[in-house]
Amino acid sequence: MRSNLFWLDDEQWQRIEPRLPKDVRGKARVDDRRVISGIIHVIKTGCRWCDCPPEYGPMTTIYNRFTRWAERGVWERLFRELAANGRSNDVQMIDSTHVKAHRSASGAKRGSRTKRLDARAAGATRKSTQSQMLKAVFFPSF
């Protein structure tokens, strides 16, 4: 077994298990602890569903469980119930932002520098509106 896999420990599982849906339709669910550990692994590492290690079970099971429970609001309810026992009920946040950039995104050719400088000197309007938006927000009287 690989050492870099995520597994829910006994204490975490004891807090999560009573809050899982009990209305199983059709075939009985496979090992919930293994599948949820796989879902957390994918979200935590940012890997694709198809790259989920086989120790967590079939990739389709892990993906289907995640999407079906997301549609039913299971994850949101689970998170809210677990977060209610935390320090503050005002603000709770989990951030698993993962941004991919194309390999050539850092050095794109942007045209002639002299053309841009000439346009700026002539008073041409900028293509970017970020500075204008910031002025409108922070200095509304201008």
Side-chain angles (χ1 to χ4, degrees), residues 11-138:
E11 180 186 342
Q12 293 168 329
W13 183 243
Q14 288 173 359
R15 292 182 66 204
I16 292 173
E17 185 183 25
R19 294 172 169 86
L20 296 179
K22 306 283 189 256
D23 59 336
V24 179
R25 293 177 233 131
K27 286 177 62 174
R29 291 194 310 245
V30 295
D31 184 14
D32 284 332
R33 187 173 183 172
R34 184 185 70 181
V35 173
I36 292 173
S37 293
I39 291 169
I40 294 172
H41 175 81
V42 169
I43 292 171
K44 183 178 173 185
T45 61
C47 70
R48 300 178 303 172
W49 293 104
C50 62
D51 293 334
C52 186
E55 288 85 350
Y56 296 122
M59 174 277 298
T60 52
T61 302
I62 295 167
Y63 173 75
N64 288 338
R65 178 82 52 88
F66 176 78
T67 55
R68 288 177 183 153
W69 282 9
E71 289 171 359
R72 292 175 52 192
V74 172
W75 297 116
E76 186 173 347
R77 182 180 46 77
L78 178 65
F79 177 72
R80 289 188 187 281
E81 289 175 9
L82 292 173
N85 299 331
R87 288 180 262 169
S88 169
N89 290 336
D90 296 336
V91 177
Q92 300 287 329
M93 182 176 81
I94 293 178
D95 182 19
S96 62
T97 304
H98 183 79
V99 178
K100 293 183 181 181
H102 191 271
R103 64 179 173 262
S104 63
S106 62
K109 186 175 177 182
R110 295 200 176 15
S112 171
R113 180 171 164 75
T114 56
K115 276 186 180 179
R116 290 192 314 240
L117 292 176
D118 291 342
R120 189 176 296 160
T125 58
R126 292 181 174 200
K127 291 182 181 178
S128 171
T129 59
Q130 181 180 7
S131 62
Q132 295 162 352
M133 289 178 6
L134 290 174
K135 279 184 192 174
V137 170
F138 292 109

